[in-house]
Amino acid sequence: MTKKKLWQKVAAMAVLGTAFVLGGHAMAAEAASQPAAANATKQVAEQKGAEKLHLTNEWDKTFPESKDVNHRKVTFHNRYGIELAADLYEPKIAKKGSLAAIAVSGPFGAVKEQASGLYAQELAKRGFLTIAFDPSFTGESGGAGGVRNVASPDINTEDFSAAVDFLSTESDVNPDRIGILGICGFGGMALNAAAIDTRIKATVTSTMYDMSRVIANGYFDYEKDAATIAKERMANRKALNAQRTEDYRTGTYKRAGGVVDPLPADAPWFVKVYYAYYKTKRGYHPRSVNSNEGWNATSALSFMNMPLLSYAGEIESPVLVIHGEKAHSRYFSEGAFKKLKGANKELMIIPGANHTDLYDNMEKIPFDKITAFFQKYLK
């Protein structure tokens, strides 16, 4: 194995936290009666009450708290019954029922105290009601049966729609003015949500990863032929399924490892920029998957067979795709953008920016553009 290919393997394991990534139709019927509807409501309430989340009260973000917005913790559930935790940011002066709202999540393997919270707080300062949420199974959000640190293309897409459920019923929010913003791997999840959820009126992705593509094909798949990709994918399947057997036998879940630490001197530059965010005071958080032991190794399996962007070409609502010029991951946004149709889609490349610059670099993140985009389409 060449040194380049070896580092692609290490980078995939370290950055994605998923092992063995080498190189990286029927409307629901109306309720028959009021008693039935009341019973359903009771069931949901009981379901919500079954899971107790432990939410922090102190400010434990990786960015300074702004006194220009109101902040509070909120929870909501998705349609799988998983309770999600979020930070809600609201302009100091808010007219009930009138605000445009934005749900934010990402990066893949991060928590709401990191980049998504920064975006949410800044957009609240600019007049939007926002939430930054922890995806299912991560951070302060719940899971099922004690399982943690697992990702799913379906459940994580559903997490965005669940956030829209919550925002649609908030007294301060106009339900016809809801958008979403996905960072890194949750950019792909955001596009997938926009393709199925017509309540989402506008979508922004920032420094996007297509997690299905990178897990199925490895990093930099445009450098490899189809036969090589297929061979690598089969090797990955075999290894991951062997790990499934071992996990079941032991009753534990092997972790894939977060961002590589210590950082080797000869690590590729993009691995170094991940380290500089997730492993230093700049971006480290004790609940972050990437900052610590990574995803459960078998998280990779479902992404291989479920391409996230299959119906991206059917998104009718506006989409703004943002990426850094110097980001190793730029090809994910450019590839995704080619799938989008219509005059209300835009690709914005930020000169000189690398992948993690768009996590927290206030001089690089185009908040003026994001604000103008949401103001135009959430009206």
Side-chain angles (χ1 to χ4, degrees), residues 166-189:
F166 170 78
L167 291 173
S168 296
T169 59
E170 276 293 287
S171 61
D172 292 345
V173 174
N174 182 333
D176 295 321
R177 302 176 66 199
I178 297 175
I180 61 174
L181 191 155
I183 307 165
C184 185
F186 276 81
M189 249 64 92

Side-chain angles (χ1 to χ4, degrees), residues 33-82:
S33 66
Q34 291 297 326
N39 186 54
T41 301
K42 179 181 178 182
Q43 289 177 353
V44 169
E46 290 174 346
Q47 182 182 53
K48 289 181 66 178
E51 185 169 20
K52 303 297 183 183
L53 302 186
H54 301 286
L55 307 180
T56 57
N57 292 315
E58 70 275 11
W59 184 266
D60 61 347
K61 325 300 185 196
T62 60
F63 52 91
E65 181 176 11
S66 171
K67 302 304 181 182
D68 297 329
V69 300
N70 296 319
H71 163 261
R72 58 188 168 94
K73 288 289 183 75
V74 297
T75 63
F76 56 95
H77 65 280
N78 66 22
R79 65 188 179 91
Y80 295 109
I82 298 172

Side-chain angles (χ1 to χ4, degrees), residues 32 43 45 59 61-62 74 78 98 110 116 129 200 202 219 231 241 257 262 266-267 283 289-290 310 327:
Q43 289 177 353
W59 184 266
K61 325 300 185 196
T62 60
V74 297
N78 66 22
S98 67
S116 62
L129 183 146
I200 297 169
Y219 273 103
K231 182 178 180 179
N241 282 294
D266 62 345
V289 174
N290 289 344
S310 296

Side-chain angles (χ1 to χ4, degrees), residues 35-291:
N39 186 54
T41 301
K42 179 181 178 182
Q43 289 177 353
V44 169
E46 290 174 346
Q47 182 182 53
K48 289 181 66 178
E51 185 169 20
K52 303 297 183 183
L53 302 186
H54 301 286
L55 307 180
T56 57
N57 292 315
E58 70 275 11
W59 184 266
D60 61 347
K61 325 300 185 196
T62 60
F63 52 91
E65 181 176 11
S66 171
K67 302 304 181 182
D68 297 329
V69 300
N70 296 319
H71 163 261
R72 58 188 168 94
K73 288 289 183 75
V74 297
T75 63
F76 56 95
H77 65 280
N78 66 22
R79 65 188 179 91
Y80 295 109
I82 298 172
E83 195 80 1
L84 303 179
D87 286 297
L88 185 150
Y89 300 89
E90 185 178 39
K92 286 287 188 179
I93 301 175
K95 185 178 179 180
K96 291 186 180 298
S98 67
L99 288 176
I102 304 165
V104 189
S105 195
F108 191 78
V111 287
K112 63 187 182 303
E113 290 76 19
Q114 296 174 308
S116 62
L118 175 66
Y119 274 71
Q121 180 175 260
E122 181 63 25
L123 290 171
K125 290 166 61 177
R126 293 164 178 257
F128 303 96
L129 183 146
T130 64
I131 58 171
F133 65 88
D134 285 331
S136 295
F137 305 105
T138 66
E140 293 183 310
S141 287
V147 176
R148 305 294 299 163
N149 309 307
V150 65
S152 161
D154 181 25
I155 295 175
N156 293 146
T157 296
E158 161 61 19
D159 289 342
F160 266 115
S161 286
V164 176
D165 293 338
F166 170 78
L167 291 173
S168 296
T169 59
E170 276 293 287
S171 61
D172 292 345
V173 174
N174 182 333
D176 295 321
R177 302 176 66 199
I178 297 175
I180 61 174
L181 191 155
I183 307 165
C184 185
F186 276 81
M189 249 64 92
L191 289 180
N192 200 35
I196 197 169
D197 195 332
T198 56
R199 301 171 303 171
I200 297 169
K201 304 306 181 184
T203 301
V204 172
T205 69
S206 181
T207 199
M208 192 201 85
Y209 256 63
D210 179 344
M211 296 309 303
S212 292
R213 179 175 176 178
V214 70
I215 290 175
N217 300 344
Y219 273 103
F220 312 119
D221 53 7
Y222 51 83
E223 296 180 349
K224 299 180 286 190
D225 61 87
T228 297
I229 292 174
K231 182 178 180 179
E232 290 180 348
R233 185 158 52 239
M234 182 54 71
N236 295 343
R237 290 191 186 107
K238 290 179 179 179
L240 288 166
N241 282 294
Q243 188 60 52
R244 282 193 66 141
T245 302
E246 186 62 19
D247 287 351
Y248 194 87
R249 177 182 293 115
T250 63
T252 61
Y253 294 93
K254 180 181 178 181
R255 303 285 287 277
V259 173
V260 61
D261 188 20
L263 181 70
D266 62 345
W269 65 271
F270 73 91
V271 175
K272 293 179 179 179
V273 301
Y274 277 113
Y275 182 94
Y277 182 76
Y278 285 108
K279 287 294 187 175
T280 70
K281 185 177 180 180
R282 169 187 167 195
Y284 176 84
H285 197 276
R287 291 191 295 272
S288 170
V289 174
N290 289 344
S291 288

